[in-house]
Amino acid sequence: MAGNRRAHGGDASPLRLIVIAVVLIGLVLVSLRLMPGSPLASAAAAKWGDPSAPVDRAATAPPDRSSRPSPTASPSPSLEPLPFADKQIDLDIEGWYAWSVLDTRTGKIIGSANMDETNTTASLIKAWIVADYLRLADKSGQTPSDAKLADATRIIRDSDNTRAEQFYNSVGRSASIKRLISICKTTDSSVAADGGWSRTALSPRDTARLGACISDGRAAGPEWTKWLVNEMRLVRGAGDFGIRKAFPEAERKKIAIKNGWIDRTKEQEMHINCLAIGDNWTMGVMVRYPINMGYEYGMKNCQKITEAVLRSTT
């Protein structure tokens, strides 16, 4: 029996040696994985998320976007320039003159350094008187008769003084000018000392503001603005001079105007004033000079001043 056990034990020795060898190799491999600096240690650490292990930065870094173009905001559309240049002019004109232009899209005002100085308006103010009459009528629920509209046409197109006085009385005389100052947000204007319409004081800057007030409907109200502006485009005869004459013939019929001209014997001066309403702009030009030089001198100078500040088309 003992001999049989030895024989059996002898047969199992090689198998035991193999098992022991495998175990030893496994222990060696484990020790290598745990040994600092070992390639197997680095691999294991990387696999199990060891923060001390070296990491492939190229594989884990976020993508480089520095070479991509940065997004740019879409440019806002710029407004087309008005036909006027913002500059000071020095013309060979006798007496005093000033001008101003208002951009009705932005409210920006440009003009001569003295555009806040005033002149007596003469017939230029009739555009406001008619506008005030029409707005008040509509506000009270009344529609002007055909006869009244015909009178308004004569006041605007032909500068009829008698009818202008009648309208001025109907809208409260100087109270109407006070409404102009309030509604049109003028800053330089004043009511005449005698309360009359002819000696109302406006500056070129406030004249441009009056034009904007008519154009945007504040003056005549929504019901009558289009009618009034169209009447101002149809100004004729002696009152058709000044600003719009500086424009090409094809453009003139689109420009609404109201001018004023008077000889002031008390001051021995001529007062000539021009208001114009164009596309996206309004303009006021005023001149004052010795009375003996006549009307035509000032009428031509309103045009000359406008031409001097128009942008060059060449």
Side-chain angles (χ1 to χ4, degrees):
M1 293 296 294
N4 290 337
R5 283 197 297 270
R6 282 195 297 269
H8 182 75
D11 293 339
S13 294
L15 178 61
R16 205 182 289 116
L17 291 173
I18 292 171
V19 170
I20 293 170
V22 170
V23 171
L24 290 173
I25 291 170
L27 291 173
V28 170
L29 290 175
V30 169
S31 64
L32 287 173
R33 288 167 65 91
L34 298 177
M35 186 180 297
S38 168
L40 291 177
S42 299
K47 179 177 180 180
W48 296 107
D50 183 353
S52 66
V55 179
D56 184 353
R57 300 298 179 186
T60 60
D64 181 11
R65 294 183 173 86
S66 61
S67 60
R68 298 184 183 181
S70 299
T72 55
S74 300
S76 57
S78 58
L79 296 176
E80 182 180 351
L82 295 183
F84 305 94
D86 186 2
K87 64 180 182 179
Q88 298 303 308
I89 55 175
D90 185 10
L91 304 177
D92 185 18
I93 294 177
E94 186 75 21
W96 171 91
Y97 66 89
W99 67 276
S100 184
V101 169
L102 186 151
D103 186 331
T104 54
R105 302 166 299 181
T106 65
K108 180 181 178 180
I109 297 176
I110 62 172
S112 57
N114 60 345
M115 64 180 172
D116 61 337
E117 297 178 12
T118 63
N119 208 23
T120 63
T121 61
S123 294
L124 182 150
I125 201 65
K126 293 172 184 174
W128 167 258
I129 295 171
V130 171
D132 198 31
Y133 169 81
L134 293 170
R135 189 192 69 262
L136 291 175
D138 184 57
K139 190 175 180 180
S140 63
Q142 299 176 357
T143 300
S145 65
D146 290 343
K148 279 296 185 183
L149 289 177
D151 286 345
T153 290
R154 292 286 299 276
I155 294 170
I156 298 297
R157 296 191 196 182
D158 303 314
S159 207
D160 187 291
N161 286 335
T162 300
R163 290 174 172 83
E165 186 70 20
Q166 293 169 353
F167 271 54
Y168 190 57
N169 288 332
S170 73
V171 294
R173 297 186 66 79
S174 59
S176 178
I177 307 305
K178 291 177 182 177
R179 284 192 293 272
L180 181 158
I181 294 170
S182 174
I183 293 172
C184 300
K185 308 299 182 186
T186 61
T187 56
D188 315 314
S189 311
S190 62
V191 177
D194 63 4
W197 51 264
S198 178
R199 282 189 173 270
T200 299
L202 287 184
S203 63
R205 178 168 65 182
D206 280 353
T207 299
R209 287 170 172 154
L210 170 58
C213 193
I214 292 171
S215 178
D216 66 22
R218 284 175 290 157
E223 182 67 24
W224 292 102
T225 293
K226 186 176 179 180
W227 183 92
L228 177 58
V229 172
N230 186 63
E231 289 299 311
M232 294 173 68
R233 291 191 180 112
L234 298 174
V235 168
R236 59 199 174 192
D240 184 11
F241 64 87
I243 295 170
R244 74 177 174 188
K245 295 289 187 181
F247 287 81
E249 184 71 35
E251 295 183 40
R252 294 177 193 175
K253 62 183 180 180
K254 298 185 294 183
I255 299 174
I257 64 169
K258 191 70 190 88
N259 298 321
W261 61 104
I262 193 167
D263 52 336
R264 297 291 184 201
T265 55
K266 179 181 178 181
E267 295 89 350
Q268 285 295 291
E269 293 174 339
M270 300 296 297
H271 292 195
I272 311 294
N273 311 292
C274 299
L275 163 64
I277 301 171
D279 290 338
N280 304 320
W281 58 267
T282 60
M283 186 175 193
V285 179
M286 294 181 159
V287 296
R288 188 168 60 240
Y289 53 92
I291 196 170
N292 61 355
M293 301 183 75
Y295 292 113
E296 191 173 350
Y297 181 77
M299 292 174 173
K300 288 183 176 180
N301 280 329
C302 268
Q303 178 179 341
K304 182 178 180 179
I305 292 165
T306 306
E307 290 170 344
V309 296
L310 282 175
R311 291 184 185 276
S312 174
T313 57
T314 57

